[in-house]
Amino acid sequence: MIFVPMLHYMRNKNSFSGNEDGMRYLITPGKRAVPDPDGGEDAKKEEGIITVDVWPEPWTLDKTDPALRRREVFPLTEEGRAAVADYLNNAYNAEIERWKAHPSILDCDPWTPPAPEPDAEPQK
């Protein structure tokens, strides 16, 4: 069972990262704007969320090809925390062989973003 910290820990703006046999994950609390049902057309309110990123070892999130990363968002509630735990356990159990077969950091290079395309027309 993958450990997910208590809701109080996340409500205090603490992130949590871990790994399980080659599956790395990052749990980050935050907020997002949502329409306020009691307000006018343009009224917004903030809602607490938990963002979960999952990616394979050996590199950090920003050095891993975006095609290999997954992200899910859950409410910042006890039910959301339980859903995060279920999501991580299901992600791990669904692909155990993938996570265990990760390459060594010595056998691969980190992902780098592609170079920007040069402009076809020189700017004047």
Side-chain angles (χ1 to χ4, degrees):
M1 182 90 164
I2 295 175
F3 174 77
V4 175
M6 295 175 56
L7 186 61
H8 178 73
Y9 178 87
M10 289 182 272
R11 283 196 172 140
N12 284 302
K13 303 178 184 175
N14 295 306
S15 295
F16 181 82
S17 63
N19 71 59
E20 188 74 29
D21 281 335
M23 180 185 87
R24 291 189 175 192
Y25 56 93
L26 175 64
I27 302 169
T28 310
K31 294 185 182 209
R32 68 177 168 193
V34 294
D36 186 354
D38 299 328
E41 290 179 21
D42 298 328
K44 300 266 185 197
K45 68 177 188 175
E46 285 190 334
E47 157 183 272
I49 59 170
I50 304 169
T51 304
V52 180
D53 291 291
V54 175
W55 71 98
E57 284 190 347
W59 302 104
T60 61
L61 182 61
D62 63 332
K63 296 294 183 183
T64 300
D65 184 342
L68 301 175
R69 304 182 217 164
R70 284 187 254 162
R71 175 175 278 182
E72 292 292 329
V73 177
F74 301 90
L76 186 58
T77 62
E78 189 55 45
E79 293 79 16
R81 189 192 79 77
V84 168
D86 288 342
Y87 171 72
L88 289 172
N89 283 296
N90 291 337
Y92 174 74
N93 291 324
E95 299 181 275
I96 291 175
E97 294 307 316
R98 174 188 181 205
W99 304 123
K100 290 185 177 189
H102 64 85
S104 165
I105 199 167
L106 301 174
D107 296 333
C108 61
D109 293 321
W111 174 82
T112 53
E117 294 287 323
D119 292 338
E121 303 270 329
Q123 295 198 3
K124 298 178 183 181

